[in-house]
Amino acid sequence: MNDELYDIGDPVVDGKVPAGPIEDRWTTRKFEAKQINPANKRKKKIIIIGTGLAGGSAGATLGEAGYHVQQFCFQDSPRRAHSIAAQGGINAAKNYRNDGDSVYRLFYETVKGGDFRSRESNVYRLADISRNIIDQCVAQGVPFAREYGGLLDNRSFGGTQVSRTFYARGQTGQQLLLGAYQALMRQVEMGNVELFPRHEMLDLIMEDGRARGVVVRNLINGEVKNYTADAVVLASGGYGNVYFLSTNAMGSNVTASWRAHRHGALFANPCYTQIHPTCIPVSGDHQSKLTLMSESLRNDGRVWVPKKGGDDRRPADIPEDERDYYLERIYPSFGNLVPRDIASRAAKNVCDEGRGVGPGGLGVYLDFADAIGRLGRDKVEAKYGNLFEMYERITGENPYDTPMRIYPAVHYTMGGLWVDYDLESTVPGLFVIGEANFSDHGANRLGASALMQGLADGYFVLPATINDYIARNALPPVADTAIAEAEERVNGRIDKLLSIDGDRSVDSFHRELGHIMWEYCGMERTEEGLRKALELIPALREEFWTRVKVTGKGEELNQQLEKAGRVADFLELGELMVIDALHRSESCGGHFRAESQDDEGEAKRDDDAFGYVAAWGWQGEGARPVLRKETLNFEYVKPTQRSYK
Amino acid sequence: MKLTLRVWRQSGPRDKGGMVEYKLDDISPDASFLEMLDVLNEKLIADGGEPVAFDHDCREGICGMCSLVINGTPHGPERNTTTCQLHMRKFRDGEVIDVEPWRAKAFPVVKDLVVDRSAFDRIIQSGGYITAPTGTAPEAHAAPVPKPDADAAFEAAECIGCGACVAACPNGSAALFLGAKITHLGLMPQGQPERWDRAVSMLDTHDGEGFGGCTNTGECTVACPKGIGLDVIGRLNGDYLKASAGGKKK
């Protein structure tokens, strides 16, 4: 065992999931939730951090419900939240294609796709609400793709055999976010939502063990200020940027979640990282981020590598019988549409065999020649034109003439702050929604499910549960001492970062951390590698706090200072991710432990030993984390080995 | 590649600001323009200087946060491309490159290359939405939208709110930004009830924020990284006129 790495704490008792048949639980919960009369809602204040699909939709809905909302984002406008970059689509069990889809099927596939590491009740609710989301977005004027009859079009997506994905070309996230943003802007105009762009949350204000507000830094002038409220909502996204290179926006960070973690919010399944199979390969040391090519490309593109290693002929010169369409070969029933974890690892395997293509051999072909032959170039252009253009801009290669090169990259983090059925964390009064929480995707997220979860949480779930917390708790004004303590923590940390005045840039630490994480806690993890990472990360962290150079002052726009604070948190989170990955000596979803695979190299789960959520508690700086388990019970979808063959 | 950069440096809104020259060698042609600036900043930090502040986030061409006037053109020389998607292979070895912030009265400079674009949010606040309360929406298939309308609405809705149109316009007008939203919402059946009020109130806010009037010079559409066409301005003007003439104005 790894007793030297962590303590074992009390199990987490899953709160607030009502009993009864799974299809009735959400109705029951909504009915039992205490209401607040509209005249009183105006006097209740809610703080929301983040303005993406989850935060934006929550702000719009809570503002409309009559609460006084104060909403913060680090970008210059809420419309720039990273949800805007989601390309492919949003799932909903509408069964418009009459292909046998249903709420139950979406629920079933999501639980299975997550490798039986998510909570059934939450996933069922998500699948059920998915239908309302489409109605809501259409009513807002989101321009989804339509058929000639004027009805909504659908497509299929990785990991599923039905067409349930609604889309707006390759920019679905953008259109959904603009819908939420516009609804939010309407509430701003009506005075229900106060908006604070270019503000970053740096700490929680805690009183009597409850979250009662936040301390934020105004990124324009550096002013540190406090805001108090009846409840705080984190909608601050995922932490994939711990890897430095990822598909996340450059500003995406873990700071809001990590500050909350240090105040007692459990961090669940931190090691669950989704590696997305269709990204543009790295081109050089200057690289700052990786660009995703929408998974929808796998509907028509065929993935292959040369059959023999070291074959450096141009792809057009490699005849059909010397190509290995390995996904179609290994997984005949799903072919190129296998889920992300399967596709990513298969790409890694063929590259490890020396059959990768492009610079450094870290790439596989995604070939549209068949689709262009079958559908004609025009149809392919209509479907994927903007993605092809983007690819050409970045690589300088024309994908109509030569296959794209793709390679897996860090994309989404399924882990996050632990929440109960009400989306409340283990810190009372602190709610966590969207990618920032851990709840619905288990160990792997199906394509087009992230947008669904963000909007379900923000438009429908949180607004139906947060009132219960506010109604049941008498929340007096916050004492000055609690506020002062939080501000002191923030100011002390800023002063410390600025005073080190070392000789290494913030970015150089971030890159080094990212390299360690990718190497040892990336697509494939081994006990040996993870232990190595546990030597490297604390040493790097120590070096950071003695050698980092943060230029400029605190009282100004200072992008180095912003980054330094975030990297400091990534350095702590990275260690927890590694400990989590080390303790979970099974393979599941995005977490592949080399020691746990079957004879054919497929991930081997161990439900008896690891059928739980790993929720980690903070026990102080330099102290070991404490592991608290939430046992997962499967009443409806019996765990089976996933097979896509 | 070897490059000479002339970058606008301005420590704050009240500082006068000016161009400062930097030399770079060994830039990869595969680097994006922003990655080239990252390299410059690492060099400045190593030399004990102040890195250049610039706005950026997704680096995928969609969030609209990156800006920069490059050699006099917003988002640089390549058509339909944001600064983050512009790659150094589009420049010549040894080239001198001017880098400046968006210039417009309604977009005050915050620092170096960073400007304040919050006026765009205020324009949207004044009517750039469809009123659709959560949880009570009709079934999505209840209102079919003809495919050509849905496609045209989508194309207008592609606007990323970057502000290049304003930076390119000799009048500092945001008519393209405004027209894109008016067109997106005005083409769909859901957007009809508020259509006239929307045109009037958004245009009033636009003028109040200090954006200039549109004189159809067309620079905006040339600079637009998403290729939004001038036709959206026609639609804006049409809706505004009809709203005013038809007594539909608030």
Side-chain angles (χ1 to χ4, degrees), chain A residues 113-131:
Chain A
D115 233 349
F116 306 94
R117 293 292 173 264
S118 48
R119 199 187 283 152
E120 275 190 340
S121 302
N122 287 52
V123 178
Y124 189 90
R125 174 175 67 188
L126 176 67
D128 196 10
I129 288 174
S130 69
R131 300 172 301 171

Side-chain angles (χ1 to χ4, degrees), chain A residues 42-64:
Chain A
R42 281 196 297 278
K43 299 175 208 153
K44 302 294 180 183
K45 212 156 94 183
I46 298 173
I47 283 172
I48 303 177
I49 306 298
T51 59
L53 285 175
S57 56
T61 309
L62 294 172
E64 182 185 298

Side-chain angles (χ1 to χ4, degrees), chain B residues 137-166:
Chain B
E139 166 30 68
H141 266 178
V145 182
K147 183 171 164 55
D149 290 351
D151 286 351
F154 172 82
E155 275 160 27
E158 276 192 284
C159 167
I160 57 174
C162 65
C165 49
V166 178

Side-chain angles (χ1 to χ4, degrees), chain B residues 123-193:
Chain B
I123 290 178
I124 298 294
Q125 282 159 26
S126 66
Y129 48 77
I130 289 170
T131 300
T134 316
T136 56
E139 166 30 68
H141 266 178
V145 182
K147 183 171 164 55
D149 290 351
D151 286 351
F154 172 82
E155 275 160 27
E158 276 192 284
C159 167
I160 57 174
C162 65
C165 49
V166 178
C169 177
N171 309 326
S173 169
L176 196 72
F177 169 79
L178 197 53
K181 190 47 61 190
I182 292 283
T183 304
H184 161 210
L185 300 176
L187 276 170
M188 310 197 84
Q190 298 89 324
Q192 298 310 312

Side-chain angles (χ1 to χ4, degrees), chain A residues 3 12 28 64 111 152 168 197 225 233 244 277 341 343 352 369 395 421 435 442 453 472 501 576 601 603:
Chain A
D3 297 343
V12 183
T28 307
E64 182 185 298
V111 172
L152 294 154
K225 279 185 84 169
V233 180
F244 187 74
D341 55 332
D352 287 352
T395 62
Y421 191 66
E435 192 179 352
Q453 187 221 340
R472 285 177 197 278
D501 196 28
L576 187 65

Side-chain angles (χ1 to χ4, degrees), chain A residues 64 77 79-80 94 96 135 138 141 150 171 181-182 186 198 250-251 288-289 393-394 505 557 559, chain B residues 35 42 54-55 57-60 63 89 111 121 128 131 134 139-140 145 157-159 161 181 184 190:
Chain A
E64 182 185 298
S77 163
R79 66 177 293 148
R80 313 222 195 273
K94 283 284 200 185
Y96 284 164
D135 298 341
V138 165
Q171 296 161 29
Y181 158 76
Q182 288 167 195
R186 176 168 166 255
R198 289 205 202 262
M250 301 297 285
S288 61
K289 76 156 287 168
R393 259 200 297 275
I394 293 172
S505 72
L557 176 79
Q559 295 172 329
Chain B
E35 286 168 347
E42 286 293 293
F54 60 94
D55 265 334
D57 200 16
C58 81
R59 297 200 176 188
E60 287 183 31
C63 78
R89 68 176 77 90
K111 183 178 181 179
D121 287 333
T131 300
T134 316
E139 166 30 68
V145 182
E158 276 192 284
C159 167
K181 190 47 61 190
H184 161 210
Q190 298 89 324

Side-chain angles (χ1 to χ4, degrees), chain B residues 19 30 75 77 95 100 102 110-111 113 129 152 154-155 159-160 167 171 173 183 192 211 216 221 232 236:
Chain B
M19 300 294 270
D30 289 332
H75 290 302
E95 194 166 338
E100 296 165 89
W102 280 178
V110 176
K111 183 178 181 179
L113 304 169
Y129 48 77
F154 172 82
E155 275 160 27
C159 167
I160 57 174
N171 309 326
S173 169
T183 304
Q192 298 310 312
F211 293 101
N216 288 310
T221 183
V232 302
L236 161 70

Side-chain angles (χ1 to χ4, degrees), chain A residues 49 74 200-204 215-217 234 236-239 241-242 251-263 267 417 430 436 490 493 497 561-573:
Chain A
I49 306 298
F74 68 78
E200 179 164 48
M201 169 185 156
L202 292 178
D203 217 327
L204 267 185
V215 177
V216 300
R217 181 168 176 271
L234 299 187
S236 47
Y239 50 86
N241 271 348
V242 67
S252 297
N253 66 85
V254 78
T255 290
S257 295
W258 196 253
R259 299 289 105 197
H261 173 61
R262 290 176 63 127
H263 289 295
F267 209 116
L417 294 182
L430 180 73
V490 167
R493 193 175 150 90
L497 285 168
L561 179 62
E562 292 166 28
K563 261 197 273 191
R566 297 168 191 164
V567 172
D569 289 334
F570 279 138
L571 282 161
E572 291 179 0
L573 166 73

